[in-house]
Amino acid sequence: MYKRLPRVRRRWQLGLGAAAALLAAAGLQFFDANPATSQSLFLTAYSAGSDPGLDPADGVWKNAVPVQVPLTAQAGTYAAGGGSIPTVSAKALHYQGKLYVRVEWADTTKDESTTKVENFSDAVAVEFPAKSAASVPALCMGQADAGVNIWQWRADSQAGIKDPVDVYAGALVDMYPTKDTLFYTARAAGNPYANPDQGPVQTLVSQTFGTLTIANVQDVRGQGAWNNGNWAVVFTRSYAGADPSQAAFADGATTDMAFAVWNGSEGDRNGRKSVSAFVRLTISGTDLGAGGGDNTLAIALAVALLGGTVVIGAGLAISGYREKAAR
Amino acid sequence: MPPVYNWQLGRQMDYRYPNGGAQRQFAAVFNTNRCIACQTCTMACKSTWTFSPGQELMWWNNVETKPYGGFPRHWDVKILDLQEKANPGAQVWNATKKDPKTAPYGTFEGKTIFETADGVNQVVTGYIPTEDEWKGPNLHEDTATAFSKNGVSLPEHSGWFFYLQRICNHCTYPACLAACPRNAIYKRPEDGIVLIDQNRCRGYRKCTEACPYKKSMYRPSTRTSEKCIGCYPRVEGTDPLTEGLPMETRCMTACIGKIRLQGLVQVGADGQWLEDRQNPLYYLVHVAKVALPLYPQFGTQPNVYYIPPRWVPRDYLRQMFGPGVDDAIAAYTAPSRETLAVLQLFRATQQIVFSYKVEPGPKSGEVKVGNQVRELFNDTVVGFDSKNREIVRVSVDEPVYERPAKVTMNTI
Ligand code: SF4
Ligand code: SF4
């Protein structure tokens, strides 16, 4: 649904617009953030007191402050549908040179089998700019001078790739002349996606639409768990990326980060998914305390930003209403 | 979307990519009148390419019985229905807007599967047949439309069915390729064969959804899609068996009903066939116009052509093969001397016939077709390979040998 813009912009409306811009800029300044790289959401990875491991239910996550990241239908070079998952709850920690990201979202259906042609898997991905990125990458799959590094966890991969005869107990097959890998064509062609030993997470690199490719080194680990209509997935990787096409992290550094969720029962795959905008991830030197670290600054700013936006929005809405009534 | 020319529809249409890819195109003619549904082609393909775990429900080549059968179940009815719903009452041909070269069947005034798609959720209108729909091919489909108490007679049988042989059409404007967001599908310039790169595919099944002929199939054991590869090592002549010469595919050469002829035709930058008068496929499709594309209205410009079954009600056939049906059946029922000669090339050799010539022979008889008496001539057709060397020679009259009354053991 598109809101109709008032036909005539009055001077005070322009004033409100300018105020909004200033307020946003002030916020960005406050955080010493480059407006080109930063959006209005901030996630901080505090230093964990113990190794969070891969278990999404590990107690160490309890104290980490989540950021609610809104998702929308993906609308990149071409629209591709999706949008059935409205938000993810993201947390981040680091421990001894490793970044941990935990993503949780509500999904009432646990879609982890892709044996049937009509079934698609639940999945989640986090995206970072490549270490080599010369500018801010395009959110959707990056661009030539600024690639992205995507870590994707898939429910069907975690459940394992199976032959249909192993899924359907009563399946009747006369015989297979051979079960040699050579005849699992995609596997023989070296497609990691068809490799049953790949594990649930793949790390991929991309430099624009249609160029998504598996990274040479698979060094991201992860694990998901579905409980009571919620998926929780943990990713982890060492700070250093295996090569410049992958993301790199450091204590005290900040980077951009985006999320995508696929809902299998909605037919989500490839571009058909729910995606976020870039979120600013800070790898803080502060220890994760019982209170979840010092996030007051961010919260104060967020409240200020929100307040400002509400005032501006209300102002514009009233003016629009008045104009409509006058017509 | 750039406009491309679709000569089967007699008009331009929208396609995701500009044309100009293929210089030669894999093409075939299937004579539905001769098929006995023995499924030898089907087994030839299966035993060559799809015998491994995960490929159980895959039949790159299949023969189904019309009007009730379909693999996957009701595939064509479903697409026709989607198209009709998207453009109600307007999926029509104008058979009078014709041109012998650029619009040989008339002009399709409805919308193609590319033109009815919303462009957001789908680049191509289609659907994914469920696993269940790929199961049990051919079950209960060998059924005529009616029991004809008093027998049947031409031109249209009152109770009828016929066999439809299907492989990937290696379309000029492949829907599978247009739908793939990963650029994992490509069309080879040297022969127009459409392939899925098994290294790049990530099992999105957009091709399975988009292909109107449902010839891109999902393989759960690798989570990728696979499809008919046009037996490319044979067509290339790189299969050891071919001794370096382009050879017809497994499903073609295995055909004991001799219904199939496959080859390579030359195409121009606009996707139209370049004039190649002595290529048997060019002759059958563009000169004799006896063979027609399957559901041309989908818009992919498919490259398998069918000689329609003579006994089937024409409205059904027009829906399936377009408005060229009446002329094609006429040209097959009373074939010219040249057509009769070219039809002898079907399954006369495994090598691809690139050109032919007809050597006239003496009159050998007369036959009554309808009310007309036709003369038959024992002409000889000679086929040549890519290097213009003679590879086959067949006469219209089949040579007859009489066995001696007393035969020895093991003589046939
Ligand atoms: S028949 Fe289907 S799979 Fe084959 S080229 Fe055409 S659209 Fe692709
Ligand atoms: S051309 Fe080859 S791969 Fe394609 S259906 Fe025929 S035998 Fe199978």
Side-chain angles (χ1 to χ4, degrees), chain B residues 196-213:
Chain B
I196 303 176
D197 183 338
Q198 287 301 308
N199 192 295
R200 279 195 67 73
C201 176
R202 284 176 71 82
Y204 297 152
R205 288 158 264 174
K206 291 277 179 183
C207 53
T208 316
E209 183 172 343
C211 169
Y213 303 98

Side-chain angles (χ1 to χ4, degrees), chain A residues 114 119 168 176 187 189 269, chain B residues 56 131 199 204 209 218 221:
Chain A
T114 45
N119 288 352
Y168 300 115
Y176 298 106
R187 234 175 258 177
R269 73 276 198 197
Chain B
E56 295 84 354
E131 182 189 63
N199 192 295
Y204 297 152
E209 183 172 343
Y218 175 64
S221 59

Side-chain angles (χ1 to χ4, degrees), chain B residues 167-171 174-177 194 211-213 215-216 227 300:
Chain B
I167 65 169
C168 166
N169 287 288
H170 298 282
C171 304
C176 56
L177 187 153
V194 176
C211 169
Y213 303 98
K215 281 296 168 188
S216 171
K227 63 179 280 301
T300 63

Side-chain angles (χ1 to χ4, degrees), chain A residues 58-305:
Chain A
D58 193 285
V60 67
W61 289 104
K62 283 228 172 64
N63 295 330
V65 177
V67 167
Q68 304 300 323
V69 184
L71 308 178
T72 60
Q74 88 86 25
T77 302
Y78 65 94
S84 68
I85 307 289
T87 176
V88 293
S89 172
K91 295 178 176 182
L93 292 171
H94 61 92
Y95 180 72
Q96 292 182 351
K98 272 187 171 176
L99 177 70
Y100 290 83
V101 179
R102 184 188 186 278
V103 192
E104 184 172 345
W105 71 99
D107 182 353
T108 48
T109 49
K110 184 186 185 188
D111 306 311
E112 58 172 0
S113 166
T114 45
T115 298
K116 291 187 178 186
V117 58
E118 67 269 34
N119 288 352
F120 295 92
S121 176
D122 289 335
V124 61
V126 289
E127 178 188 88
F128 305 96
K131 188 182 174 189
S132 62
S135 58
V136 192
L139 180 69
C140 296
M141 298 293 177
Q143 70 235 19
D145 69 338
V148 291
N149 181 196
I150 294 169
W151 305 347
Q152 190 197 40
W153 170 92
R154 296 178 53 110
D156 64 338
S157 300
Q158 184 165 300
I161 308 177
K162 295 184 187 78
D163 288 347
V165 273
D166 299 330
V167 177
Y168 300 115
L172 284 179
V173 176
D174 294 340
M175 60 138 194
Y176 298 106
T178 162
K179 284 200 173 186
D180 198 291
T181 304
L182 180 64
F183 298 104
Y184 289 78
T185 323
R187 234 175 258 177
N191 185 341
Y193 182 72
N195 179 355
D197 305 324
Q198 166 70 33
V201 176
Q202 286 189 359
T203 170
L204 304 127
V205 292
S206 172
Q207 282 190 324
T208 192
F209 265 105
T211 64
L212 184 70
T213 309
I214 190 107
N216 294 332
V217 181
Q218 292 295 305
D219 50 4
V220 181
R221 293 192 306 129
Q223 188 177 306
W226 188 88
N227 274 311
N228 303 322
N230 274 298
W231 274 115
V233 175
V234 169
F235 293 94
T236 181
R237 205 202 73 187
S238 309
Y239 283 172
D243 63 62
S245 68
Q246 302 191 33
F249 312 97
D251 282 333
T254 52
T255 182
D256 288 311
M257 176 180 192
F259 301 86
V261 175
W262 289 262
N263 184 358
S265 44
E266 282 292 313
D268 284 1
R269 73 276 198 197
N270 76 296
R272 191 184 170 103
K273 62 197 169 197
S274 302
V275 289
S276 78
F278 272 128
V279 170
R280 199 87 178 122
L281 171 72
T282 303
I283 300 182
S284 159
T286 313
D287 281 349
L288 176 66
D294 184 8
N295 251 358
T296 25
L297 216 56
I299 290 165
L301 182 79
V303 168
L305 275 175

